[in-house]
Amino acid sequence: EHFKGNSKVPLRKLHGVPRSREIRRLMLAVCAACASAHRRVDAPGRALTPGAPSKLPDGWVHEPVTAAMDPASPFGYYVLRPTNASAHPPPLLIHLSDQAQSGPGTVASLERLLRVGPAKLIRRGEWAPPTMMIVVTPQLGSLGGRDDDSYASAAPDVAKNLSALVPHLVERFGADNTRVYASAVGSGAAFLGDFLAREGAKSGIAAAVAISG
């Protein structure tokens, strides 16, 4: 969905929205990439398969950032980012993974994020979006940081944390705040949908793709 003002417009109807061509191309690429990577997910507990060497453009790195390394972030995360500031800020994609990839945001637990979604494709050297972008994959804790197993009780906490995360990532990595996109799979898709429903245009998200079954 694309949010403009207080209205919600299906992605297929974005032809009249500024940057709609970029949004359609990016979101379709992300959707296909997430679905493809999710089908090839490494089983929990299994050693990560080596895959192909990462082929990143010059001046870009893909690295873990623990909760301790970025205290202003409510989550630890993996990030694909440029090493130098750009005169033309790149777009930002935030991807929320499934519950199987959750954890406390330590170096060891962040490796789970490499099993699925954009982070997996980046690790394998298979990430080739039409526009190079900053990609952040936050690691949600157990149901967003709560110890219980109630989605309903966890959702408000996750929404609050995402509200703080979006502007923080834009500022930290110098992204274009008008081109912030989101994707999600599994329980991450449920949390993303709840966040967008709660925040609407205030979410800072220009377009989103959520995949769950």
Side-chain angles (χ1 to χ4, degrees):
E1 300 291 333
H2 176 82
F3 290 83
K4 184 175 178 61
N6 293 321
S7 65
K8 189 166 66 172
V9 183
L11 192 62
R12 63 180 179 274
K13 297 181 180 179
L14 287 182
H15 55 275
V17 178
R19 292 204 182 94
S20 62
R21 180 176 298 179
E22 176 186 75
I23 291 173
R24 287 199 303 272
R25 292 176 64 199
L26 285 176
M27 290 296 97
L28 289 173
V30 167
C31 185
C34 291
S36 174
H38 198 61
R39 286 195 299 268
R40 296 176 294 168
V41 63
D42 294 297
R46 182 186 301 170
L48 288 172
T49 52
S54 180
K55 300 176 182 177
L56 298 177
D58 291 341
W60 287 75
V61 295
H62 189 221
E63 61 188 5
V65 178
T66 66
M69 293 166 62
D70 185 2
S73 170
F75 310 109
Y77 52 86
Y78 248 90
V79 59
L80 172 67
R81 64 171 180 86
T83 55
N84 297 307
S86 171
H88 303 286
L92 166 65
L93 171 68
I94 300 173
H95 177 78
L96 303 183
S97 294
D98 197 6
Q99 181 70 4
Q101 284 75 53
S102 65
T106 62
V107 171
S109 72
L110 288 175
E111 293 295 304
R112 300 170 195 165
L113 299 174
L114 300 176
R115 295 193 176 107
V116 66
K120 177 177 183 176
L121 298 182
I122 294 167
R123 174 179 67 90
R124 287 176 173 264
E126 299 173 4
W127 180 247
T131 300
M132 198 61 185
M133 67 187 87
I134 299 165
V135 180
V136 174
T137 306
Q139 184 171 55
L140 302 182
S142 177
L143 282 179
R146 299 180 67 96
D147 293 329
D148 58 60
D149 58 358
S150 170
Y151 165 81
S153 64
D157 287 349
V158 177
K160 180 180 178 180
N161 286 335
L162 290 175
S163 294
L165 181 68
V166 173
H168 170 68
L169 293 177
V170 168
E171 181 178 2
R172 180 178 176 91
F173 296 113
D176 184 342
N177 64 2
T178 68
R179 301 158 73 199
V180 180
Y181 310 120
S183 62
V185 294
S187 59
F191 284 125
L192 176 60
D194 180 81
F195 167 62
L196 295 177
R198 291 172 184 271
E199 298 296 319
K202 296 185 297 181
S203 69
I205 303 298
V209 170
I211 304 170
S212 187

